[in-house]
Each structure stands twice: as C-alpha cells, then as structure tokens.
Amino acid sequence: MDKYKTDSHKLMYHVKRVNDWIDEKLIYPIYIEISPSRACNHRCTFCGLDFMEYKPKFLNTKLLMERLSEMGNLGIKSIMYAGEGEPLLHKDIIDIILSTKNAGIDVALTTNGVFLDKEIVDKTISSISWIKVSIDAGTKETYSKIHKTKSNDFKRVLDNLQYAVKVRNDNNYKTTIGAQLLLLVENHLEITLLAQKLKNIGVDYLLIKPYSQHLLSNNTSHKNIKYNNFLHLSDTLKKFNNDKFNLIFRANSMESHDEETRIYEKCLALPFWSYIDSEGKVWGCSCYLNNEKFYYGNINDESFKSIWNGEKRSISLKFVNTELNTSQCRINCRMDKINNYLWNLKYPIEHVNFI
C-alpha cells in the first residue's frame, strides 16, 4: 500500500501548471527543497551529501522569511526542509516553519528526529503537512553503526515520535507522521522489528527505499548494492498494513535501481522544482550541487523571482536541453518518475486518441 504515491509522482494533480509548461510559458516551481543548516549531528554511512562537509552554515532567518512571502505570492505550493544537514539544528527553525505556513506554502520536514523535541512539536506540528524521520535500523546497535552516532539516539528518536503522535492525536491535527529506512545489507533483517515498534507508537507509515549513489558523494561503500535479493521482502511486510499503518516498500524504485527504466532522453522536470542550500544558493538539481552549470543565483543577493527569470537559469536550462546526458545522472533521482511522465506528454506515442 502506498496511498502517498511515494513510489510514483503527483504532478498530474497540477494540470494548469503542466499545461502552461507544454505551452512554453514561464512557470514557477510547485515544490522547493530548502536546507536551513549544513551542520549535522550524524555521519550516516549512506549520506549522499558528505562532500558538503557538514560545515556550520545556516540560512539567514530574516532574509529567508522575506523570500518565503515572495515565494508564496509566486505560487510555490510546498517546501520541504531537509538538505545537506539536519534542519532542526537551525536555531530559528520554529519561526521558519511558521513563516512558511503563513506564506500559504505547505510545509514538510525530513529529519533524523533527534532534535524533534517537545517545544518544536508543540509549536509547529499543526503547521506541518508531514514529518518523515530517517531511522535506518530496528536496534540501537545497528542504528548507531549506520548513523555513526551514540546508540541512545535510537530511543530518543522513538520517544520523540511517540510524543509527536500523541500531540497530533490529542488535537486532531492532520499532520502525517512517518519514518523511512534506507534498505541496506546491514539492516534488512531488522525491518520487521522497526515496523512493529513504529506501528505500536502509532506513526502513519514506514517507507522502505533503495540506496542511490550520489554523483559527488565521497562514500561508495553501498555503490554496488543490488535489490533483486530483497524484493521478496515486499510480501513478508504486507502483514503490517492496516487502516492506520502503511508499510510502503518501494519495489518499483528498487527494480529501476538494478535495471534502467528511464524513457526520457532529456531532463524536463527542472521548471517544476528547485533546491536552495544553506548558503542561499539556488540550484536546478540537487544531484549537481557545486556545478556552476546548475547554479541559478543566491537569495541573499536578489529576489527569487529575479533568480528564476534570470540569465543564469536560462543558460542552465539551455545546457540541460542540449548537452546534459541523462544516462549519466543519478539513478532514481527525485525527478525520475516526473521525467518519464513529462516525456510521454511531450513526445506521445501513436494512436493516443484511442483511449
């Protein structure tokens, strides 16, 4: 069961913006990922952004709030706070979340959950659409090895999740609270243990997803993992599903990890999303951070509108359209399913009128 369509995409729900794109009109992103902090309290063995070096860099709160108001007016629909560090390490994350919601933008949070404390939950949970906590093992020992942190963080994260669920339920908030496990050789025997713990706590889902080697990551220890040997877990894990708990096993993404499923020859998805790093730099793709060909501008220097309408972005899109070899892109990149969808729209098969 995957009622959140995590193994697919939701661009089909934004028909007007897609139509404007087909008509070659200027469109603003539907979704933006923002990294409030480059610092991180963990050093996960699978971290794709280790090349950013976890430096203590943080977005300027006052300026970000100004840009959030602008983004809301431009029609940006959602922002996920995650990025190259732990977002909850930003000292003003509460105000940032509340300002995002006040700007009319849906808010999501991906976090390791260690700092998802009572103050943050009490003040922000009613403003957050969903929270996803990375917890990549079923025991404190394996968790500690994978996240490269002290083992008591495991219990702390579970306690934080339990409190968030209680606050959500007591107040009838609509916030979805979930967790994800990146499936590795080291943790595949602990999925059922973690699933039972989370189901008992009352979270809404556990997402099992494949590893994807970032093009720039220093870590290559999981680079050659194959998922054919793990696909049988999908049937085993179905027993956890009921009307209150989803165990989402991303089998489609695992299959495409092992065998190429791209049908597109060009990346078409970049107009629909963007990434802002902890220095305020706006990028076309998070797989190419620090590559100037994907750099649009900096929100510390100019408005988001001027960046999006600017020459750097125009040059970048031209490069992507004429020179980028998508076969060299990251496997299962965030826009992969959207690119397949857009490619079918732009280059339809024959006889489409025979529906």
Side-chain angles (χ1 to χ4, degrees), residues 9-122:
H9 70 91
K10 288 167 270 194
L11 193 56
M12 74 282 284
Y13 298 109
H14 299 275
V15 175
K16 184 181 186 307
R17 207 160 307 196
V18 173
N19 279 338
D20 286 344
W21 171 80
I22 291 173
D23 293 337
E24 299 185 351
K25 296 178 181 178
L26 172 71
I27 61 168
Y28 289 99
I30 295 169
Y31 161 76
I32 297 179
E33 181 175 336
I34 296 181
S35 179
S37 163
R38 187 167 296 179
C40 192
N41 54 314
H42 288 180
R43 295 291 184 271
C44 300
T45 62
F46 55 79
C47 181
L49 298 178
D50 53 1
F51 66 94
M52 302 295 278
E53 299 180 339
Y54 313 108
K55 295 178 180 178
K57 296 179 180 291
F58 304 91
L59 283 174
N60 180 288
T61 304
K62 183 176 182 297
L63 187 139
L64 177 59
M65 289 180 177
E66 293 175 5
R67 297 292 183 255
L68 289 171
S69 179
E70 177 200 8
M71 289 176 192
N73 290 331
L74 291 174
I76 280 77
K77 299 291 186 183
S78 66
I79 289 175
M80 179 179 74
Y81 289 108
E84 67 261 22
E86 168 51 49
L88 298 184
L89 283 175
H90 196 294
K91 65 182 180 64
D92 297 320
I93 192 63
I94 291 173
D95 293 333
I96 290 171
I97 290 171
L98 297 179
S99 293
T100 308
K101 188 64 176 177
N102 288 338
I105 302 171
D106 292 340
V107 187
L109 179 65
T110 294
T111 170
N112 61 43
V114 174
F115 299 108
L116 190 66
D117 57 28
K118 291 183 178 181
E119 181 184 15
I120 290 176
V121 170
D122 289 341

Side-chain angles (χ1 to χ4, degrees), residues 2 4-12 250 252-253 334 336-338:
D2 184 10
Y4 307 108
K5 290 188 178 293
T6 57
D7 211 16
S8 181
H9 70 91
K10 288 167 270 194
L11 193 56
M12 74 282 284
R250 293 187 60 178
N252 291 336
S253 294
R334 192 160 289 170
D336 184 63
K337 301 295 191 297
I338 288 175

Side-chain angles (χ1 to χ4, degrees), residues 38 48-53 55 57 84 214 216-218 275 277-279 281-296:
R38 187 167 296 179
L49 298 178
D50 53 1
F51 66 94
M52 302 295 278
E53 299 180 339
K55 295 178 180 178
K57 296 179 180 291
E84 67 261 22
H214 195 286
L216 302 175
S217 178
N218 296 318
Y275 181 96
D277 72 17
S278 55
E279 293 182 320
K281 295 178 180 178
V282 182
W283 301 93
C285 178
S286 61
C287 294
Y288 291 97
L289 296 180
N290 295 341
N291 185 329
E292 290 295 313
K293 293 185 185 300
F294 292 84
Y295 174 62
Y296 295 169

Side-chain angles (χ1 to χ4, degrees), residues 244-256:
K244 293 184 178 180
F245 182 79
N246 265 204
L247 201 149
I248 304 166
F249 191 86
R250 293 187 60 178
N252 291 336
S253 294
M254 291 181 196
E255 289 171 356
S256 61

Side-chain angles (χ1 to χ4, degrees), residues 122 125 162-173 177:
D122 289 341
I125 193 167
Q162 188 168 30
Y163 182 77
V165 168
K166 182 179 186 305
V167 173
R168 188 270 308 271
N169 293 348
D170 288 350
N171 294 278
N172 293 317
Y173 296 143
I177 301 173

